Amino acid sequence: METAAKQLQPWKGIINQYARYLPVSDATPVITLCEGNTPLIPATNFVEAIGGKFELYLKYEGLNPTCSFKDRGMTMAMTMAKERGAEVVICASTGNTSASAAAYATRANMKCVVLLPNGNIALGKLAQALLYGATTVAIEGNFDDALRIVIELGETGKVEVVNSINPARIEGQKTASFEICDQLGRAPDFHFLPVGNAGNITAYWKGFKEYYSVKKADRLPRLFGFQAAGAAPIVDGAPVAQPNTVATAIRIGNPASWQGANNALKESKGHIAKVTDAEILAAYKQIAQTDGVFVEPASAACLAGLIKCHQAGMIPEGSVITATMTGHGLKDPDNAIQNAGFEPTIVEASKEAVMKVIGL
Ligand SMILES: *Cc1c(COP(=O)(O)O)cnc(C)c1O
């Protein structure tokens, strides 16, 4: 079995691939679903459509095992929890963390409890948590309320918190920067990503710096982060009590890694700005219809940001830009159907009827 798998599948997940950069030893019981190794897709049509004179590559994290980048952090967090002998893991989530935690906990034979904001979770994500068998609790509150409760429960010492306040999450997530450099053969000039709880921007910056320090990358990119206008505490410089946006994955009013984001922005000479829901949805539709890349609305926030930065003349000609497409579009079918702008045309079952619809 092992030999056949080795030949068919050389990639065995991010811990195996990048062990020398991670806090693991030969004795560490690695919990993996073979996450990582996601494609870096050139978005040439999108760039042309917006009149850009730069290169754009999308790190399509929707192709991870539970369809978001959270799997990179979760393989590390669950591995560390297992190594410490934890039996119950818990997280607060806008959806993707819970999907990922539920899947990896199952794999590790651990019990998983997820706290979600009631009514504000995309359908696909809820389906995942339930089917993977997590104890799913819907809080009458928002993500920030759920995280506060999770932290209090963590302090009892009876459960292991696998939110990104757990440093193992950041360690795992930094491997996306390594992969980008390995795939591009260089570091990008700019890296764009959406910002919610700010763990990922913190992790990307850590990854780019570490790869640069071991000479695996030739430069350090500038990090450009984007928040939704209704949930933009870092941009506005103050927590948002009632965050609101169609991009539920970044519907967060008081980011746990706020400080990490500030460091990344300062050290990389980066930029953080907000985009409206209308801008997010326009970019969401555009990237699907120009380049065939279906992402969730939160992911598109950074493309909306790129359009604005380009229009403001902030992107020098010839720049190499990468952007994290944080989650798969199928996570949120409701938004896709509402915003597609088309509905299937219903006709009788004949060749003539179909030809009429397509204008032949
Ligand atoms: C978690 C998540 C984000 C936000 O990442 P943070 O690390 O919380 O800033 C963005 N998009 C998607 C799809 C996510 O799941």
Side-chain angles (χ1 to χ4, degrees), residues 69-70 96 194-200 249-250 296 298 326-327:
F69 76 82
K70 300 296 199 298
N96 283 333
V195 175
N197 216 22
N200 218 25
I250 52 173
E296 55 175 289
T326 45

Side-chain angles (χ1 to χ4, degrees), residues 67-70 93-97 125 143 164 169-170 173 193-203 226-227 234 247-252 255-257 295-300 324-328 331:
C67 308
S68 84
F69 76 82
K70 300 296 199 298
S93 180
T94 61
N96 283 333
T97 299
K125 304 176 189 182
F143 170 84
S164 57
R169 283 276 309 276
I170 306 292
Q173 285 169 211
L193 77 176
V195 175
N197 216 22
N200 218 25
I201 190 170
T202 304
F226 295 89
Q227 300 199 289
I234 301 179
T248 50
I250 52 173
R251 190 175 185 271
I252 291 173
S257 299
V295 300
E296 55 175 289
S299 313
T324 314
M325 297 297 103
T326 45
H328 201 290
K331 292 269 193 180

Side-chain angles (χ1 to χ4, degrees), residues 36-261:
N37 199 22
T38 55
L40 193 62
I41 306 173
T44 21
N45 294 337
F46 179 85
V47 174
E48 199 183 311
I50 67 170
K53 297 211 161 37
F54 48 79
E55 292 173 39
L56 173 63
Y57 299 89
L58 306 178
K59 185 65 171 156
Y60 193 28
E61 292 286 271
L63 293 189
N64 276 298
T66 77
C67 308
S68 84
F69 76 82
K70 300 296 199 298
D71 293 343
R72 291 179 188 277
M74 208 51 78
T75 182
M76 270 306 296
M78 214 59 77
T79 293
M80 302 278 90
K82 190 76 184 169
E83 194 166 41
R84 276 196 291 272
E87 287 170 6
V88 186
V89 296
I90 190 167
C91 65
S93 180
T94 61
N96 283 333
T97 299
S98 60
S100 189
Y104 282 82
T106 297
R107 198 114 184 128
N109 292 316
M110 284 192 259
K111 193 170 151 49
C112 180
V113 182
V114 304
L115 269 63
L116 307 168
N118 191 24
N120 275 299
I121 170 157
L123 193 61
K125 304 176 189 182
L126 182 60
Q128 287 178 294
L130 296 173
L131 195 76
Y132 291 132
T135 303
T136 305
V137 186
I139 299 289
E140 288 176 338
N142 58 30
F143 170 84
D144 303 286
D145 297 318
L147 183 58
R148 176 177 43 79
I149 296 165
V150 162
I151 290 171
E152 285 169 19
L153 289 169
E155 284 161 1
T156 65
K158 294 196 173 126
V159 293
E160 180 91 7
V161 177
V162 293
N163 279 102
S164 57
I165 49 167
N166 179 333
R169 283 276 309 276
I170 306 292
E171 288 300 309
Q173 285 169 211
K174 77 184 180 188
T175 61
S177 299
F178 299 167
E179 283 180 26
I180 286 174
C181 297
D182 289 343
Q183 289 168 312
L184 267 185
R186 53 165 284 180
D189 299 309
F190 296 87
H191 184 76
F192 278 60
L193 77 176
V195 175
N197 216 22
N200 218 25
I201 190 170
T202 304
Y204 267 80
W205 183 236
K206 189 166 196 287
F208 281 126
K209 278 198 301 189
E210 287 183 15
Y211 237 35
Y212 180 74
S213 76
V214 296
K215 302 200 161 53
K216 287 276 207 173
D218 57 337
R219 72 196 77 202
L220 287 168
R222 298 177 63 191
L223 294 198
F224 275 39
F226 295 89
Q227 300 199 289
I234 301 179
V235 180
D236 295 341
V240 176
Q242 302 291 342
N244 204 10
T245 168
V246 67
T248 50
I250 52 173
R251 190 175 185 271
I252 291 173
N254 191 12
S257 299
W258 197 322
Q259 193 53 49

